[in-house]
Structures are given as structure tokens and as C-alpha cells.
């Protein structure tokens, strides 16, 4: 009995040593080479838009269009990333908070490389798997982002489901804005005029629903650009 217990303890020790070693994680499938994300579109969230379709259109036509707009946008942010120009709000200067986001490489560039598979309907949603295999240069681009001392920032954002794809884009931008704001708030003492930089989505996004809104959790590699201060007169 004691001999068996010793063997069990040794086996458990080896197991925990392995799972906490860097080499173990290197063998776990990740987003580095093969991107695989589950996306979905609500079937009954766009009644006004669906009514505008021709009678001959299938009930899935609009949700499919939403999925095919969403996938390149998200995967493009994972493969090439986004540039941003962020203006913090400043009540004293009567400045509103603004975030401008631009795709580093247009999403259309990767559209043909995305494979859609295994569609299914659950809880009034059309779901599918979206797969994209990075090219060697795209893999090296990911390693470049991760190897440089780029901090990892995280944010959660919201957008209305009734807006369709635009609602998810709003939620993703909101997540980015919150990630940037939270990160720089701890670094900058005086509120700047603007902050520029680039981000690359680091892992699969988490997309859910909260009170009739898309809820998107994203984490990014952040490449800092410029911090533009207000001029002092």
C-alpha cells in the first residue's frame, strides 16, 4: 500500500512539473499557426432588416452575411492588428473621449483564406467555426509581436446586437479603448492630448451577450506609439 502511494506521489510530481514547464505549453495547440474561433449571429435580432429582404431569400442569408463580415474583422486583428489614435476625455478643456481604429492590413486581404465549417443552430443563433491558417510570414509576425517587450493589455466592451456586425465592431473598439485607458492611466500623471499605437489580438476573443448587447473580451499585445501632450502657454 505504501509503495503504491509513493508511486502515485512521484507520478503526480512529474505531472505537475511538466504542466508548469515552458516546454509543455509549447506543445499545446494555440493561435500561433492555426486560428480557430467560434462565431455566431442572432437569428431573431434583426427583424427590421430581415423584413427588407426579398421573399425568396433564405432566413439564414442575413446572419451568414454578418458572420462573413465579422470573421475577417476579428481574424485580421489577430493576424495583422490595428492602429489606434486615442483622445482621452478632458472636462476642463471640453474634450470628448474619441478612439479611431484602423486596420493595419485591410480585412479583405485575408477573406479568401477563412474556412467556415460545421454550422449549427442553438438558442436562436446561427453558429459556425471559422478557421484560418497563418502563412510563415504571418507566424513570424506573431512571434515578433510576442518577443519584443510589448505589454499585454486587456479590455471588455459592449455594442448593441440590433446593429448587427457594426454592434460587434463597436464592442471590439470599446474593449480596445478600455484596455488602452486602463494601461496608460497608471503610467501618465497628466492627461495627454492623444495617444497613438498599434495592437495585435493575442488570443481568441470571448464574445457573449449581456442585456441585449454584445459583450467582447479582448487581450492585446500593445506597441506604444506617441504620447502627445497639450502645449503649455
Amino acid at each position: 500500500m505504501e509503495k503504491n502511494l509513493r508511486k502515485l506521489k512521484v507520478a503526480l510530481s512529474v505531472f505537475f512539473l511538466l504542466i508548469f514547464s515552458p516546454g509543455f505549453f509549447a506543445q499545446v495547440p494555440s493561435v500561433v499557426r492555426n486560428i480557430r474561433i467560434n462565431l455566431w449571429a442572432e437569428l431573431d435580432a434583426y427583424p427590421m432588416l430581415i423584413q427588407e429582404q426579398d421573399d425568396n431569400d433564405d432566413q439564414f442569408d442575413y446572419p451568414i452575411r454578418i458572420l462573413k463580415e465579422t470573421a475577417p474583422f476579428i481574424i485580421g486583428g489577430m493576424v495583422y492588428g490595428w492602429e489606434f489614435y486615442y483622445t482621452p476625455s478632458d472636462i476642463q478643456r471640453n474634450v470628448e473621449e474619441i478612439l479611431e481604429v484602423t486596420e493595419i492590413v485591410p480585412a479583405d486581404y485575408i477573406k479568401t483564406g477563412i474556412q467556415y465549417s460545421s454550422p449549427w443552430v442553438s438558442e436562436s443563433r446561427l453558429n459556425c467555426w471559422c478557421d484560418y491558417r497563418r502563412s510563415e510570414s504571418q507566424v513570424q509576425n506573431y512571434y515578433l509581436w510576442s518577443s519584443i517587450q510589448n505589454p499585454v493589455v486587456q479590455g471588455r466592451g459592449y455594442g448593441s446586437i440590433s446593429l448587427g456586425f457594426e454592434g460587434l465592431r463597436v464592442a471590439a473598439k470599446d474593449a480596445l479603448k478600455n484596455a488602452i485607458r486602463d494601461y496608460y492611466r497608471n503610467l501618465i500623471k497628466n492627461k495627454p492630448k492623444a495617444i497613438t499605437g498599434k495592437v495585435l489580438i493575442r488570443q481568441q476573443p470571448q464574445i457573449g451577450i449581456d442585456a441585449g448587447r454584445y459583450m467582447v473580451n479582448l487581450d492585446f499585445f500593445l506597441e506604444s506609439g506617441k504620447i502627445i501632450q497639450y502645449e503649455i502657454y
Side-chain angles (χ1 to χ4, degrees):
M1 181 68 175
E2 291 183 1
K3 185 176 181 180
N4 290 335
L5 286 174
R6 284 197 299 272
K7 287 183 178 180
L8 178 60
K9 289 180 180 179
V10 170
L12 288 174
S13 298
V14 172
F15 172 74
F16 284 112
L17 178 63
L18 283 173
I19 67 170
F20 287 111
S21 67
F24 178 85
F25 287 105
Q27 299 172 23
V28 176
S30 68
V31 300
V32 175
R33 186 168 298 276
N34 297 306
I35 295 174
R36 181 172 173 81
I37 58 176
N38 169 224
L39 292 179
W40 45 264
E42 293 281 346
L43 291 174
D44 56 358
Y46 327 102
M48 298 298 293
L49 294 172
I50 293 176
Q51 288 174 8
E52 295 174 1
Q53 298 183 116
D54 296 334
D55 294 336
N56 294 329
D57 287 346
D58 189 275
Q59 64 170 322
F60 296 112
D61 285 354
Y62 187 76
I64 288 173
R65 178 152 59 90
I66 294 297
L67 289 171
K68 290 191 174 183
E69 290 176 339
T70 302
F73 171 69
I74 294 295
I75 295 175
M78 300 174 72
V79 174
Y80 292 110
W82 303 326
E83 290 184 303
F84 67 84
Y85 186 98
Y86 174 60
T87 301
S89 64
D90 193 317
I91 298 176
Q92 293 180 344
R93 293 183 171 91
N94 196 28
V95 174
E96 295 184 359
E97 184 179 47
I98 300 174
L99 175 67
E100 298 176 7
V101 179
T102 306
E103 296 167 338
I104 295 176
V105 174
D108 287 346
Y109 187 79
I110 63 169
K111 271 187 176 180
T112 57
I114 300 175
Q115 302 294 320
Y116 302 89
S117 62
S118 305
W120 76 95
V121 175
S122 65
E123 299 179 355
S124 300
R125 297 177 183 175
L126 176 62
N127 302 261
C128 77
W129 286 102
C130 306
D131 295 277
Y132 183 85
R133 182 175 177 83
R134 296 183 201 254
S135 66
E136 287 302 321
S137 62
Q138 291 167 350
V139 170
Q140 294 307 313
N141 182 56
Y142 182 92
Y143 282 135
L144 182 63
W145 276 87
S146 61
S147 62
I148 299 175
Q149 296 302 311
N150 290 326
V152 174
V153 298
Q154 300 175 328
R156 173 179 295 178
Y158 298 90
S160 174
I161 293 177
S162 63
L163 295 176
F165 166 66
E166 187 57 32
L168 191 138
R169 183 192 290 268
V170 168
K173 288 179 62 177
D174 192 39
L176 174 56
K177 179 192 70 178
N178 291 327
I180 295 168
R181 184 173 58 191
D182 291 346
Y183 176 75
Y184 282 102
R185 184 177 290 169
N186 296 321
L187 293 180
I188 305 173
K189 182 178 180 181
N190 297 319
K191 189 172 293 187
K193 182 179 180 180
I195 300 170
T196 68
K198 299 177 182 179
V199 292
L200 185 81
I201 300 177
R202 177 171 166 263
Q203 296 179 340
Q204 282 95 338
Q206 297 178 354
I207 304 174
I209 295 293
D210 179 57
R213 301 174 298 172
Y214 284 114
M215 180 178 68
V216 178
N217 291 315
L218 295 173
D219 68 337
F220 308 90
F221 292 119
L222 170 64
E223 180 182 311
S224 298
K226 296 180 180 179
I227 299 176
I228 306 169
Q229 300 290 354
Y230 285 100
E231 295 181 0
I232 300 176
Y233 295 96

